[in-house]
Amino acid sequence: MTQRKTPPFRADHVGSLLRPAELHEARAKARRGEMGAEALRALQDRHIRDAVAKQESVGMQLVTDGEFRRDWWHIDFIHGFDGVELAAGDAYGDAKFKNTEEQPPFMTVKSRIRRSKPSMLEHFKFLKSVAKRTPKFTMPSPAMLHARGDRASLRKTYPDLDEFWADLTQAYREEIADLYQAGCRYLQIDDTTIAMWGDPKVQEQFRKLGDDPKRDAAMYADAVNAAIRDVPEDMTVAIHTCRGNFKSTWLASGAYADFVAERVFTGLEVDAFFLEYDTERAGGFEPLRYVPKGKTVVLGLVSSKVPELEKKDDLRRRIDAAAKFVPLENLCLSPQCGFSSTHHGNKLTADDQWRKLGLVLEVSKSVWG
């Protein structure tokens, strides 16, 4: 068994990193009008350079920009398209993040979705310019606008849902095409719905909206496939799913539902799956039996939510357990999610974060050489 030379890597990570205190302070100043956009960007550039250098120095084969320019992992990217606006509201209904009053803002669809300008192309261009290892770019699934957006405004703008998906996935294809031209060869799409369908409360929330969770799961998979249908063969596309990650809290509990695993794992035209498996909330590895032969599963066994380090032997045992369903050569290891899916960050320190990534590297070497 050997380490991999192409993504996903044996030791990988989802993408976001804890923001340095200076960036938190600068963001607050910018919101108050005390710092201009250029000054904020220059500061972000410096900290991204540092984060990239740190990832490379600890031995990661991939690097990300830590999502340092984003407030929210999903909203900022989608808000970059024409027609999508933000408002105060409740995007989560009864399925809210636990142990916190703060919830994400509400995405609304005020006019037809178009990509008159790139959403985050410049983010990737800067990352690539400072990276010596493989730069990975992350973007939310197109499903997130339907799953976490305002349905009333969506229906008003798009009485025909097929037209909504056509416009949205076209915007995605344009962004992805430009990312490829800029040199992106490792793309990760983040979609929390895949994991959350296993929670009865989440299913009930969607039924209250008039949805059928089984139909939605298939519809969301179709949307992802439409977004990536023109991806060249030399671009690796992975999809990541978790049960929510906001200030070390979560949205959902429950194993990967069979109706989702069967439809999504077999139907998504991606190269790899990043799957949350750091706690018992994720259930067992049995749903992995639906993963097609030849596709890679990146096991999210290390928690980005807590500072305590997992035991190496426990991680190796869990990798062996997963290998009963997916061959060991098709497995990799990572944290279950990012360390800072939103600008707030999870409840651990930067030192904790790097120790976690070091653990991923150490265990991957002991398993795969």
Side-chain angles (χ1 to χ4, degrees), residues 313-330:
D313 287 344
D314 289 345
L315 294 175
R316 284 190 282 262
R317 278 194 292 269
R318 298 204 69 202
I319 292 169
D320 288 341
K324 295 178 181 178
F325 301 96
V326 174
L328 185 62
E329 61 265 27
N330 292 339

Side-chain angles (χ1 to χ4, degrees), residues 261-289:
E262 185 172 9
R263 174 63 182 87
V264 173
F265 290 168
T266 61
L268 273 176
E269 297 169 4
V270 297
D271 302 298
F273 299 90
F274 279 71
L275 302 178
E276 176 185 312
Y277 269 116
D278 62 322
T279 70
E280 61 184 14
R281 288 187 298 107
F285 294 120
E286 289 78 8
L288 297 184
R289 68 187 184 275

